[in-house]
mmCIF file of all heavy atoms in Angstrom:
data_model
loop_
_atom_site.group_PDB
_atom_site.id
_atom_site.type_symbol
_atom_site.label_atom_id
_atom_site.label_comp_id
_atom_site.label_asym_id
_atom_site.label_seq_id
_atom_site.Cartn_x
_atom_site.Cartn_y
_atom_site.Cartn_z
ATOM 1 N N ASN A 28 69.557 32.283 63.314
ATOM 2 C CA ASN A 28 70.831 32.422 63.022
ATOM 3 C C ASN A 28 71.493 31.054 63.054
ATOM 4 O O ASN A 28 72.727 30.933 62.719
ATOM 5 C CB ASN A 28 71.565 33.456 63.723
ATOM 6 C CG ASN A 28 71.832 33.048 65.278
ATOM 7 O OD1 ASN A 28 71.827 31.788 65.515
ATOM 8 N ND2 ASN A 28 71.936 33.958 66.079
ATOM 9 N N ILE A 33 65.291 23.154 66.339
ATOM 10 C CA ILE A 33 64.338 22.620 67.143
ATOM 11 C C ILE A 33 63.406 21.546 66.194
ATOM 12 O O ILE A 33 62.865 22.146 65.157
ATOM 13 C CB ILE A 33 63.365 23.673 67.791
ATOM 14 C CG1 ILE A 33 64.201 24.674 68.635
ATOM 15 C CG2 ILE A 33 62.387 23.089 68.577
ATOM 16 C CD1 ILE A 33 64.875 24.081 69.816
ATOM 17 N N LEU A 67 57.085 4.267 71.814
ATOM 18 C CA LEU A 67 58.252 5.025 72.229
ATOM 19 C C LEU A 67 59.428 4.316 71.763
ATOM 20 O O LEU A 67 60.509 4.961 71.371
ATOM 21 C CB LEU A 67 58.184 5.216 73.723
ATOM 22 C CG LEU A 67 57.354 6.432 74.199
ATOM 23 C CD1 LEU A 67 57.282 6.517 75.693
ATOM 24 C CD2 LEU A 67 58.077 7.694 73.643
ATOM 25 N N THR A 70 60.051 5.016 68.195
ATOM 26 C CA THR A 70 60.456 6.466 67.958
ATOM 27 C C THR A 70 61.854 6.661 68.376
ATOM 28 O O THR A 70 62.587 7.256 67.610
ATOM 29 C CB THR A 70 59.565 7.382 68.880
ATOM 30 O OG1 THR A 70 58.146 7.132 68.730
ATOM 31 C CG2 THR A 70 59.796 8.915 68.560
ATOM 32 N N ALA A 80 72.810 11.522 69.262
ATOM 33 C CA ALA A 80 71.654 11.794 69.972
ATOM 34 C C ALA A 80 71.702 11.359 71.603
ATOM 35 O O ALA A 80 72.308 10.262 71.841
ATOM 36 C CB ALA A 80 70.426 10.966 69.471
ATOM 37 N N SER A 91 68.034 16.697 90.526
ATOM 38 C CA SER A 91 67.619 18.017 90.112
ATOM 39 C C SER A 91 68.487 18.567 89.090
ATOM 40 O O SER A 91 69.762 18.502 89.015
ATOM 41 C CB SER A 91 67.919 18.927 91.458
ATOM 42 O OG SER A 91 66.976 18.636 92.403
ATOM 43 N N THR A 93 70.555 21.448 87.179
ATOM 44 C CA THR A 93 71.173 22.677 87.717
ATOM 45 C C THR A 93 71.805 23.431 86.539
ATOM 46 O O THR A 93 72.006 22.937 85.488
ATOM 47 C CB THR A 93 72.384 22.285 88.794
ATOM 48 O OG1 THR A 93 73.326 21.534 87.854
ATOM 49 C CG2 THR A 93 71.825 21.391 89.932
ATOM 50 N N VAL A 120 61.172 1.625 78.651
ATOM 51 C CA VAL A 120 61.702 2.592 77.729
ATOM 52 C C VAL A 120 62.772 3.455 78.313
ATOM 53 O O VAL A 120 63.831 3.620 77.855
ATOM 54 C CB VAL A 120 60.504 3.576 77.308
ATOM 55 C CG1 VAL A 120 61.007 4.575 76.209
ATOM 56 C CG2 VAL A 120 59.412 2.652 76.773
ATOM 57 N N TYR A 124 66.741 3.575 77.205
ATOM 58 C CA TYR A 124 67.095 4.756 76.530
ATOM 59 C C TYR A 124 67.840 5.920 77.386
ATOM 60 O O TYR A 124 68.442 6.810 76.745
ATOM 61 C CB TYR A 124 66.016 5.297 75.540
ATOM 62 C CG TYR A 124 65.959 4.505 74.295
ATOM 63 C CD1 TYR A 124 64.905 3.597 74.214
ATOM 64 C CD2 TYR A 124 66.848 4.657 73.301
ATOM 65 C CE1 TYR A 124 64.828 2.848 72.964
ATOM 66 C CE2 TYR A 124 66.755 3.881 72.154
ATOM 67 C CZ TYR A 124 65.793 2.940 72.054
ATOM 68 O OH TYR A 124 65.619 2.242 70.972
ATOM 69 N N ILE A 128 68.161 11.320 83.711
ATOM 70 C CA ILE A 128 66.761 11.792 84.040
ATOM 71 C C ILE A 128 66.864 12.892 85.025
ATOM 72 O O ILE A 128 67.646 12.919 85.985
ATOM 73 C CB ILE A 128 66.048 10.448 84.882
ATOM 74 C CG1 ILE A 128 66.351 9.192 83.954
ATOM 75 C CG2 ILE A 128 64.729 10.743 85.252
ATOM 76 C CD1 ILE A 128 65.934 8.005 84.696
ATOM 77 N N ASP A 148 65.859 25.684 77.313
ATOM 78 C CA ASP A 148 66.183 27.276 77.414
ATOM 79 C C ASP A 148 67.546 27.459 78.073
ATOM 80 O O ASP A 148 68.338 28.147 77.659
ATOM 81 C CB ASP A 148 64.933 27.814 78.161
ATOM 82 C CG ASP A 148 65.069 29.391 78.283
ATOM 83 O OD1 ASP A 148 66.060 29.826 78.514
ATOM 84 O OD2 ASP A 148 64.120 30.044 77.749
ATOM 85 N N GLY A 156 76.626 32.040 70.328
ATOM 86 C CA GLY A 156 75.872 32.658 69.378
ATOM 87 C C GLY A 156 74.493 32.912 69.741
ATOM 88 O O GLY A 156 73.605 33.470 69.017
ATOM 89 N N LEU A 174 74.452 33.661 94.308
ATOM 90 C CA LEU A 174 73.314 34.161 93.553
ATOM 91 C C LEU A 174 73.884 35.506 93.105
ATOM 92 O O LEU A 174 74.701 36.193 93.700
ATOM 93 C CB LEU A 174 72.124 34.535 94.452
ATOM 94 C CG LEU A 174 71.597 33.362 95.051
ATOM 95 C CD1 LEU A 174 70.240 33.593 95.906
ATOM 96 C CD2 LEU A 174 71.160 32.210 94.009
ATOM 97 N N ASN A 187 60.969 57.901 96.266
ATOM 98 C CA ASN A 187 61.693 57.872 97.452
ATOM 99 C C ASN A 187 62.562 56.686 97.767
ATOM 100 O O ASN A 187 63.061 56.407 98.838
ATOM 101 C CB ASN A 187 60.756 58.134 98.633
ATOM 102 C CG ASN A 187 60.249 59.607 98.654
ATOM 103 O OD1 ASN A 187 61.080 60.406 98.368
ATOM 104 N ND2 ASN A 187 59.100 59.763 99.204
ATOM 105 N N LYS A 206 79.175 44.845 95.040
ATOM 106 C CA LYS A 206 78.280 43.833 94.389
ATOM 107 C C LYS A 206 78.596 42.435 94.990
ATOM 108 O O LYS A 206 77.782 41.542 95.205
ATOM 109 C CB LYS A 206 78.599 43.760 92.863
ATOM 110 C CG LYS A 206 77.681 44.745 92.191
ATOM 111 C CD LYS A 206 77.939 44.619 90.700
ATOM 112 C CE LYS A 206 76.772 45.151 89.925
ATOM 113 N NZ LYS A 206 76.801 44.977 88.553
ATOM 114 N N ALA A 212 75.435 38.368 100.727
ATOM 115 C CA ALA A 212 74.283 38.462 101.652
ATOM 116 C C ALA A 212 73.068 37.912 101.112
ATOM 117 O O ALA A 212 72.258 37.287 101.804
ATOM 118 C CB ALA A 212 74.164 40.104 101.927
ATOM 119 N N THR A 214 72.877 35.433 98.928
ATOM 120 C CA THR A 214 72.973 34.019 98.868
ATOM 121 C C THR A 214 72.629 33.431 100.460
ATOM 122 O O THR A 214 71.856 32.522 100.523
ATOM 123 C CB THR A 214 74.336 33.614 98.412
ATOM 124 O OG1 THR A 214 74.591 34.233 97.248
ATOM 125 C CG2 THR A 214 74.262 32.018 98.167
ATOM 126 N N ARG A 218 69.422 31.349 99.991
ATOM 127 C CA ARG A 218 69.880 29.988 99.739
ATOM 128 C C ARG A 218 70.982 29.660 100.850
ATOM 129 O O ARG A 218 72.149 29.500 100.236
ATOM 130 C CB ARG A 218 70.346 29.794 98.347
ATOM 131 C CG ARG A 218 69.167 30.076 97.344
ATOM 132 C CD ARG A 218 68.272 28.800 97.346
ATOM 133 N NE ARG A 218 68.907 27.680 97.169
ATOM 134 C CZ ARG A 218 69.134 27.034 96.002
ATOM 135 N NH1 ARG A 218 68.711 27.528 94.872
ATOM 136 N NH2 ARG A 218 69.756 25.842 95.905
ATOM 137 N N LYS A 223 76.589 27.893 102.422
ATOM 138 C CA LYS A 223 77.401 26.845 103.108
ATOM 139 C C LYS A 223 78.567 26.393 102.238
ATOM 140 O O LYS A 223 79.752 26.322 102.521
ATOM 141 C CB LYS A 223 76.651 25.750 103.565
ATOM 142 C CG LYS A 223 76.840 25.382 105.013
ATOM 143 C CD LYS A 223 75.750 24.526 105.605
ATOM 144 C CE LYS A 223 76.170 23.206 106.148
ATOM 145 N NZ LYS A 223 75.022 22.510 106.548
ATOM 146 N N VAL A 225 79.733 27.892 99.505
ATOM 147 C CA VAL A 225 80.731 28.991 99.076
ATOM 148 C C VAL A 225 81.659 29.046 100.252
ATOM 149 O O VAL A 225 82.834 29.136 100.094
ATOM 150 C CB VAL A 225 79.970 30.225 98.754
ATOM 151 C CG1 VAL A 225 80.960 31.327 98.390
ATOM 152 C CG2 VAL A 225 78.890 30.082 97.751
#
Side-chain angles (χ1 to χ4, degrees):
N28 72 23
I33 305 295
L67 277 174
T70 307
S91 292
T93 67
V120 181
Y124 280 102
I128 306 172
D148 185 306
L174 300 181
N187 283 328
K206 276 188 160 181
T214 310
R218 291 292 302 273
K223 224 159 124 186
V225 185

